[in-house]
Amino acid sequence: MEIQKIADVYGLKIIYDAAHAFGVKINGNSVLNYGDLSILSFHATKPSIQLKGVLLSVMTKNKKRIDFMKNFGFADEVTVTEPG
């Protein structure tokens, strides 16, 4: 994809807003497989409204950092890894 090529050249991360993309595929692959992070929404205005909130689809290489960030940067009781 063109966006990925540009990101690779400049060392950028790609975050996709996939709020309305439940089940959407490009060339047989889920749109959640592209980029570094995709965000799905479960708000009442979205195609799927069984619950409320968001879902992050994170490529494996970014998962550990996201886990720290969602916990305000704390890895455990004494270790801080990210700004919170």
Side-chain angles (χ1 to χ4, degrees), residues 2-83:
E2 289 296 317
I3 294 172
Q4 187 64 57
K5 289 177 187 176
I6 294 168
D8 291 344
V9 168
Y10 294 100
L12 303 172
K13 301 290 184 190
I14 298 174
I15 300 173
Y16 283 106
D17 177 354
H20 290 277
F22 289 97
V24 174
K25 294 185 177 187
I26 298 174
N27 299 323
N29 293 309
S30 169
V31 295
L32 302 178
N33 290 333
Y34 296 95
D36 297 288
L37 176 79
S38 295
I39 302 170
L40 294 169
S41 173
F42 298 106
H43 189 269
T45 61
K46 305 304 185 258
S48 179
I49 56 169
Q50 291 83 6
L51 50 103
K52 191 173 184 179
V54 298
L55 170 74
L56 297 177
S57 173
V58 180
M59 301 307 285
T60 305
K61 62 185 177 187
N62 298 316
K63 184 180 182 323
K64 191 169 189 170
R65 183 166 185 219
I66 295 292
D67 287 343
F68 289 137
M69 290 172 65
K70 74 179 182 187
N71 195 32
F72 305 102
F74 290 96
D76 55 40
E77 290 80 15
V78 296
T79 308
V80 178
T81 62
E82 299 281 338

